[in-house]
Amino acid sequence: MLNLEVNGESHQIAVEQDATLLKVLRDELGLNGPKRGCDSGGCGCCTVHVDGKAVYSCMCYALSHDGASITTAEGLSSGAELHPLQSAFIEAGAVQCGYCTCGMMMSAKQLLDECPHPDEEQIRQGISGNLCRCTGYAKIVDAVKLASER
């Protein structure tokens, strides 16, 4: 049995020994924020926070996080109120196809938690573990900068 707190809710889940955290979040808990992309930690679209730190959920065995607190992009908002990063991504038009968006936001959240007012270079470094094939990153950088100003 795996015990997790996900987006503020406690869960006790029976999982296979080799189940990844991504598989548990998507298949067992029905969370669509973390995406399955490369399954090798190269694209970042599966990024979630484990005890406040951004990790690639496709690269983690779920059982190794027993008792952990997990936050996905769904957990950023507060009820119907969007997190400033979510609003900024919409306002800056940084969503394009949306496949990388949740992972980008989770990496950006960690950046803003550690560096509330990053410059462009720091933003690009902070999201560097995430691939976007649509935007060329300019609008994503603009969105993170916009969120940092709020």
Side-chain angles (χ1 to χ4, degrees):
M1 272 306 173
L2 172 66
N3 295 293
L4 292 175
E5 180 185 298
V6 180
N7 299 331
E9 293 185 22
S10 296
H11 298 274
Q12 190 172 47
I13 310 158
V15 299
E16 300 288 327
Q17 284 221 314
D18 62 348
T20 63
L21 183 57
L22 175 64
K23 179 176 175 42
V24 169
L25 293 171
R26 288 187 61 85
D27 298 349
E28 302 299 326
L29 300 179
L31 296 168
N32 297 321
K35 304 288 189 285
R36 176 168 285 123
C38 66
D39 256 348
S40 62
C43 71
C45 63
C46 66
T47 303
V48 300
H49 286 191
V50 175
D51 295 328
K53 296 292 181 192
V55 301
Y56 298 138
S57 62
C58 73
M59 299 296 292
C60 305
Y61 286 117
L63 288 172
S64 67
H65 297 293
D66 188 42
S69 176
I70 312 295
T71 305
T72 68
E74 291 93 336
L76 291 178
S77 62
S78 179
E81 185 175 333
L82 295 178
H83 185 277
L85 269 168
Q86 294 168 317
S87 297
F89 268 68
I90 293 168
E91 289 176 40
V95 290
Q96 297 293 319
C97 83
Y99 208 80
C100 71
T101 304
C102 293
M104 287 282 187
M105 283 194 286
M106 297 311 292
S107 293
K109 171 84 168 68
Q110 181 169 334
L111 170 66
L112 296 179
D113 288 347
E114 296 171 353
C115 179
H117 303 289
D119 61 25
E120 182 174 333
E121 184 178 328
Q122 290 169 315
I123 293 170
R124 289 186 180 276
Q125 180 64 34
I127 62 170
S128 64
N130 301 74
L131 295 178
C132 173
R133 293 179 173 89
C134 300
T135 67
Y137 304 94
K139 291 182 178 182
I140 295 168
V141 171
D142 291 346
V144 176
K145 186 71 174 167
L146 182 61
S148 75
E149 295 167 354
R150 296 183 173 163

